[in-house]
């Protein structure tokens, strides 16, 4: 495989951008072209998630080629939900590695701020499984349920979890305050974090990345430059929560990381810094565990201890991350690569020489993830210090569809959240829980009220149109049920065949 | 570059398909996997144009990986409007040619028939330039305007053009009547063609491809099989009609063909058959000229003379083409490759041994086009009989944006159509014309009435909200204007500086 290098990069100031989407793309593209030694590219690879619904733009690859004055040359659009920017890098990488092209322009972008928050939330929520959406689930709601499960699995108190999430938010805002292209240019305080309202418990406003417009651009080339794209990997995971058998890790990241580390012949301990997909603060913690930087359950402590701070041993999201640099979905994965390239080139506020960076991008709720490794091609690299990395054993990646399985009328809470910012048609506060029924199947359900929610609690479950409704059992109900079961068992004579009630004529 | 071969292929029966889009994709994919020697693939490349708006499916790559039981492996979606299926083949080709993957599943599909014709027409029309859409332009309307220009340029009478288009429709329906996967399974008569209603003059219902559901699948592999994907090329063209300086050819096809022929080290005269993008019958004629099979203006005669018939020297669209096999937009380009592979393998109704086939797919109105060349890898190939092919000189491919140029209030008709099937908000019959104004710029405009339309005729032009309105000048108006100009010229004294009227205080 031919080596692939990064030449010029470009990025718009993230935030609210009044220009049409195609113009935003063009600015980033022209910057990258202007920053490259050679300005002629043979093709354009474009990552964008949903211009059809966000801005009414179809046929966007041809539109962008024309607007850049490059009509004639090949242009394609790639999409893998919110990791589309890296999907475009991967396709461009493969095209150059094959020798089909020598130099390509890769673009990633999205325009979202012109719509209302509820319209944007609705479009973003389309990446979620339909049954879960019908219950009122949003991306923050599902992220919140994963967070609650993480808290329970690793036996963290509410306040310990809160401290961890707060530490991620504070660190990333501090980092973005030094990044002139970031959406948020100021640090936040612990008090401001704690005062911010809940979106879906335990996630507050400051745990969620903002709605953003922006674009990023990278020129990939077969000619040697100072930065080499030395590893790239991708993995997928189940779309719905109810098809998963692991909630506190994203197997798609582990698959992607295994390929990227193997290609780059390196290991987590050789990485100098990383840009990871912190669409929600807990996802930064989970990602650093999935990437092998910290043991499962230890990512939060690492943030609190300053290990991932800008001046720590392994800076995570030195640019501010999605959380504070902003998250124009199709741009984010590519923006990570732009930031990592700048950092390797020493254009960032780093005091240390850094030689090897990693980026990790997530599509949907961990359903289509990428990992890339970038390294200085002009500096002597230390031989990989560790053993070849293999991802920590993760319980299977599921993928078996249970659509037609019938759901029993009782079960217990696998995880839950209370949603305060609900999609149209759902009134807050909305209790949502993933329920494991008596047959071992999982289903998303709305709670009759928001009280008594806890992982493991027993519930009654009933169907309600396209959705499910759950009610937490009271202590009295549980005692009554045990009594009934006892009575039934003693009444059943072994000689008489017992028929279920519902089979009577 | 590593050679890339085709292993198993699959395709659903095209037409109305009641199943969800993801299930349609899965059927084609499972067929291709079942038909392959090796069933394990390392990645999935998916071409689909607009599942967001047609079926409300986002994050479709992850959805399809999961539905196929392949969760974990990389899956990406590609889009280049109606050529998306070949965009996916190209990305898969590059990935294998690079050595990054050894075997990938490529899918193309779309589901459209569940919506009303007007809703489908509206979604399809989103690939058109916005200004032209605001005048009421649809894909058939623009195709009709290109056809009228073709008629005028090559000095064809109305009835000669009609015979040519009819010959394409009859041939493709005859071919599809022998294709068990085609949407239309019966031949049509000349009488039926002539009795079919106008969609946009001169195009009738039988000149337009239908609305279709369907999916196609191809396994690409680095292991040698009997069919090699020996050439692939892509080109882009201006999105709007008004930015073009050539109307009777698609430069994007010529660019794509040049690359494909060069890669495959072959020429038009070595091609045994071709599947081309006949979304409209005139586009088949134009494509066979752009591909170098026939001289410009000679493609229509070739059809009438039977040169492109199934038993002719160069069968075009032996499968029935988009016109009669059906046109599920994201599937069509890949379906061409499936059909070509089957034909090369002798699974089709061919009596002759064929060794080399070509496919040509069009995105939008000729804005994002692909050409592929497939050949038998297990048969001795005759050395290319011709000189290396270079595309006939096409006048530049434009691409200079004229958005801000002001439009004068007079001009002449560059080309026109009368639209009988109009989008919502426009009443038929709707006269549409591309007007060349006095400054040489082009603009799309609606006619005040449908009379006196002819290429070259002079018109008045005025702005109407976001659109333009034109009125054909009468003979009397033209005489009056000449008179006025004469009078003005004689009144103007050379000693006195003439000031334009609008500059007076």
């Amino acid at each position: 495989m031919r080596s692939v290098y990064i030449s010029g990069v470009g990025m718009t100031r993230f935030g609210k951008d009044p220009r049409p989407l195609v113009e935003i793309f063009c600015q980033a593209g022209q910057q990258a072209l202007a920053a490259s030694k050679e300005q002629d590219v043979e093709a354009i690879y474009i990552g964008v998630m949903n211009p059809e619904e966000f801005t009414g733009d179809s046929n966007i690859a041809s539109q962008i080629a024309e607007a850049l004055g490059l009509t004639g040359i090949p242009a394609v659009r790639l999409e893998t939900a919110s990791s589309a920017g890296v999907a475009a890098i991967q396709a461009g990488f493969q095209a150059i590695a094959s020798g089909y092209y020598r130099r390509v322009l890769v673009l990633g972008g999205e325009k979202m701020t012109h719509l209302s928050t509820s319209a944007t939330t609705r479009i973003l929520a389309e990446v979620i499984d339909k049954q879960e959406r019908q219950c009122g689930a949003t991306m923050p709601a599902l992220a919140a349920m994963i967070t609650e499960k993480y808290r329970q699995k690793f036996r963290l108190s509410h306040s310990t979890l809160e401290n961890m999430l707060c530490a991620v938010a504070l660190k990333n805002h501090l980092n973005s305050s030094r990044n002139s292209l970031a959406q948020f240019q100021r640090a936040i305080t612990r008090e401001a974090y704690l005062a911010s309202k809940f979106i879906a418990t335990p996630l507050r406003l400051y745990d969620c990345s903002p709605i953003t417009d922006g674009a990023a651009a990278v020129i990939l080339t077969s000619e040697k430059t100072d930065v080499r794209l030395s590893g790239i990997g991708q993995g997928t995971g189940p779309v719905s929560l109810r098809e998963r058998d692991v909630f506190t890790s994203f197997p798609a990241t582990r698959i992607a990381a295994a390929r990227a580390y193997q290609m780059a012949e390196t290991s987590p301990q050789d990485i100098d810094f990383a840009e990871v997909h912190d669409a929600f603060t807990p996802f930064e913690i989970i990602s650093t565990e999935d990437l092998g930087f910290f043991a499962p359950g230890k990512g939060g402590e690492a943030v609190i201890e300053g290990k991932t701070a800008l001046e720590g041993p392994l800076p995570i999201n030195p640019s501010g991350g999605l959380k504070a640099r902003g998250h124009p979905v199709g741009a984010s994965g590519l923006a990570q690569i732009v930031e990592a390239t700048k950092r390797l080139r020493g254009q960032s506020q780093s005091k240390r020489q850094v030689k090897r960076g990693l980026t990790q991008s997530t599509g949907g709720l961990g359903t289509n993830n990428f990992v890339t490794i970038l390294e200085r091609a002009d500096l002597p690299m230390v031989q990989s210090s560790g053993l070849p990395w293999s991802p920590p054993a993760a319980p299977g990646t599921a993928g078996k569809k249970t659509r037609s399985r019938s759901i029993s009328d009782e079960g217990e809470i696998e995880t839950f959240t209370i949603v305060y910012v609900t999609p149209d048609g759902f009134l807050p506060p909305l209790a949502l829980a993933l329920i494991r029924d008596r047959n071992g199947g999982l289903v998303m359900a709305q709670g009759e009220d928001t009280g008594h929610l806890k992982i493991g609690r027993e519930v009654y479950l009933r169907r309600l149109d396209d959705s499910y409704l759950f009610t937490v059992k009271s202590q009295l109900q549980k005692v009554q049920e045990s009594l009934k079961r006892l009575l039934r068992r003693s009444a059943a004579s072994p000689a008489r065949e017992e028929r279920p009630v519902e089979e009577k004529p």
Side-chain angles (χ1 to χ4, degrees), chain A residues 143 147 161 165 168 203 207 280-287:
Chain A
T147 310
L161 176 75
L165 303 186
V168 174
L203 301 184
D207 291 306
F280 304 99
T281 51
F283 285 11
E284 174 173 313
I285 294 172
I286 290 174
S287 288

Side-chain angles (χ1 to χ4, degrees), chain A residues 141-157:
Chain A
L142 297 185
M145 292 169 88
I146 283 175
T147 310
E148 180 59 25
K149 191 74 192 168
Y150 184 95
R151 192 186 70 75
Q152 180 246 6
K153 181 173 176 183
F154 296 111
R155 298 164 196 261
L156 308 174
S157 69

